[in-house]
Amino acid sequence: MKVAVLTSSRADFGIYLPLLHQLESNPFFQLEIIAFGTHLSKNHGYTIDEIISYNFKIIRQIHTPVSNQDQLAISNNIGETISVFADFWSKNQYDYILALGDRYEMFAAVTATTPFVYRIAHIHAGEITLGAIDNVYRHSISLMSQLLFVSTDVYKGKAIQVNPDAQTFNVGALSVENLKNIEYLSIEDFKSKFNINLSLPTILTTYHPETVNLEQNINYVQELLASFSYLMNDYQVIITLPNADTIGDQLREIILDYGIHNPKLIIVESFGMLGYLSCMKHCQFMLGNTSSGFVEAAFFPKWVINIGDRQKGRIQTQNIISVPVAKSAILKAVKDIEKFDKITFPSIYGDGETAKKITQILKNEHEKF
């Protein structure tokens, strides 16, 4: 069974990893990884190197635009990515194409398949993020798919509403399997690799633009940075730079400029999957608006201060405190966390056997061809 796996960023590759290993090691499957988007961007850490380091047999590298200065740039990116992938799909055939998540470039790559009537399997279908235009892209990918893989029963119900004609399976979250099985960097190894000492009380931060509330993003990132000026008195603050969303470049420039004047802030382009998860494991708590504060942070679990509306609509577990993007609200949430004991609760995102479940379902589908 010839399977293509679309990966456009550092975030989705880390989630895919246990499934990629399952597909690569099983002789029933011929796996081809199709890397595009920010993987091939020097400005976003050139994370294609991380993919190559795992020695997968076939890695296709597709250059697509990643400019994100404004809405026009994103719209042009979508059009150009569709065009690039139209040419690619016309020359390459697969039994199934796997797409994960809700990025606009993932939507574009899948959209280009529709005239060729390829079979699509959508991973992490049914989820909701009201503060990002990603909702549109996620549900559109689901509508173009024959298989929908979801991480909870709540999301299964939503995915069926989006595309009742698809087959929908609750397989849990791939990231849980990854988190159970990877060998994390120790504090000592992390310091050796990144020159960052995680034995200090550390806040891991990521802020991405709210793409349905663009005009407020500059104010939001300034409020976040204003909170850092207080937090850095008691904590080591690490921030990973925004992804390639609309006006992401502007936010990156603001953060980098702040870092020039505030050298205590640790700014990281990309830790890579292992580095990021190891930092999450050892940090005191997380702050920002990344989806990893929902699924991955619930595994450890880690306290998360979720700011703004980007992730609004996702299931909120007991470790998450949601607040407005305001310095005063952020600092109050930090004070609240400092009063709490370590939190524990059962994971709602599956049993860590997601990759095995997905590969078995794909095998079953192949028998129907």
Side-chain angles (χ1 to χ4, degrees):
M1 186 178 189
K2 190 176 180 182
V3 175
V5 175
L6 291 164
T7 175
S8 70
S9 74
R10 66 194 185 197
D12 67 45
F13 176 73
I15 295 170
Y16 273 131
L17 199 54
L19 178 59
L20 296 175
H21 287 315
Q22 281 267 355
L23 293 170
E24 180 87 341
S25 63
N26 191 325
F28 182 84
F29 296 99
Q30 179 186 332
L31 169 66
E32 294 192 8
I33 297 172
I34 303 176
F36 63 110
T38 56
H39 280 309
L40 305 176
S41 168
K42 296 289 186 182
N43 291 334
H44 294 85
Y46 202 64
T47 48
I48 186 64
D49 284 343
E50 182 180 6
I51 300 177
I52 292 170
S53 73
Y54 284 95
N55 296 315
F56 292 107
K57 293 186 183 71
I58 302 176
I59 304 170
R60 305 290 195 105
Q61 299 183 35
I62 311 295
H63 288 270
T64 56
V66 294
S67 171
N68 52 44
Q69 285 292 335
D70 52 29
Q71 298 96 318
L72 177 60
I74 296 296
S75 188
N76 283 332
N77 289 355
I78 293 170
E80 290 180 43
T81 301
I82 291 173
S83 180
V84 169
F85 269 94
D87 182 66
F88 180 80
W89 299 132
S90 72
K91 299 172 182 175
N92 297 273
Q93 294 186 336
Y94 300 93
D95 294 311
Y96 252 100
I97 298 165
L98 274 60
L100 188 150
D102 52 19
R103 297 283 306 161
Y104 72 81
E105 62 270 30
M106 191 69 71
F107 158 78
V110 174
T111 297
T113 70
T114 53
F116 303 100
V117 201
Y118 288 152
R119 297 179 180 90
I120 308 296
H122 186 198
I123 299 171
H124 278 288
E127 300 179 13
I128 305 292
T129 47
L130 298 177
I133 199 170
D134 299 348
N135 247 7
V136 174
Y137 303 134
R138 181 191 302 108
H139 297 335
S140 295
I141 294 170
S142 290
L143 280 169
M144 293 183 279
S145 300
Q146 289 69 48
L147 294 178
L148 302 180
F149 295 121
V150 303
S151 59
T152 72
D153 279 336
V154 171
Y155 293 146
K156 181 176 181 178
K158 294 182 183 299
I160 291 171
Q161 289 178 338
V162 171
N163 186 356
D165 295 326
Q167 296 183 77
T168 304
F169 301 90
N170 179 7
V171 293
L174 275 170
S175 54
V176 170
E177 185 164 352
N178 208 22
L179 293 164
K180 283 178 63 175
N181 296 320
I182 67 170
E183 186 174 341
Y184 297 93
L185 296 173
S186 67
I187 289 175
E188 294 75 20
D189 289 340
F190 193 92
K191 185 175 182 181
S192 176
K193 185 177 178 70
F194 298 107
N195 196 29
I196 298 172
N197 183 7
L198 294 180
S199 66
L200 300 174
T202 299
I203 304 171
L204 175 59
T205 309
T206 300
Y207 181 79
H208 298 304
E210 290 191 9
T211 49
V212 297
N213 199 14
L214 283 174
E215 68 280 357
Q216 290 295 323
N217 278 292
I218 303 301
N219 292 334
Y220 287 162
V221 77
Q222 289 172 343
E223 286 288 314
L224 176 62
L225 295 174
S227 75
F228 289 173
S229 298
Y230 290 86
L231 294 172
M232 286 189 295
N233 292 323
D234 300 310
Y235 294 95
Q236 174 176 254
V237 179
I238 300 171
I239 186 167
T240 61
L241 290 171
N243 59 23
D245 275 329
T246 312
I247 78 162
D249 285 347
Q250 294 179 47
L251 300 190
R252 291 164 66 92
E253 290 171 9
I254 292 170
I255 294 167
L256 290 169
D257 182 68
Y258 179 90
I260 291 171
H261 298 94
N262 298 270
K264 286 175 66 178
L265 178 65
I266 300 174
I267 300 174
V268 176
E269 178 62 65
S270 174
F271 279 125
M273 183 272 295
L274 178 60
Y276 182 76
L277 295 178
S278 298
C279 188
M280 186 186 299
K281 174 180 171 62
H282 297 301
C283 76
Q284 203 83 359
F285 60 89
M286 296 177 67
L287 167 63
N289 64 357
T290 171
S291 60
S292 62
F294 285 73
V295 179
E296 286 84 351
F299 172 81
F300 292 106
K302 287 288 176 180
W303 285 109
V304 177
I305 301 174
N306 172 56
I307 58 176
D309 290 338
R310 182 179 172 93
Q311 302 299 338
K312 189 175 181 180
R314 287 192 187 274
I315 297 171
Q316 187 160 312
T317 47
Q318 299 99 303
N319 59 314
I320 299 171
I321 301 172
S322 290
V323 300
V325 192
K327 180 187 72 176
S328 58
I330 292 168
L331 296 178
K332 181 182 183 303
V334 172
K335 292 297 182 186
D336 289 340
I337 285 175
E338 290 171 343
K339 299 174 187 175
F340 297 147
D341 296 327
K342 184 178 179 181
I343 190 170
T344 58
F345 59 91
S347 173
I348 65 169
Y349 294 105
D351 57 6
E353 299 290 329
T354 300
K356 186 182 297 184
K357 293 174 184 176
I358 291 175
T359 52
Q360 186 58 55
I361 292 166
L362 289 172
K363 280 186 176 182
N364 295 342
E365 282 298 298
H366 193 262
E367 293 174 1
K368 299 176 184 177
F369 293 175

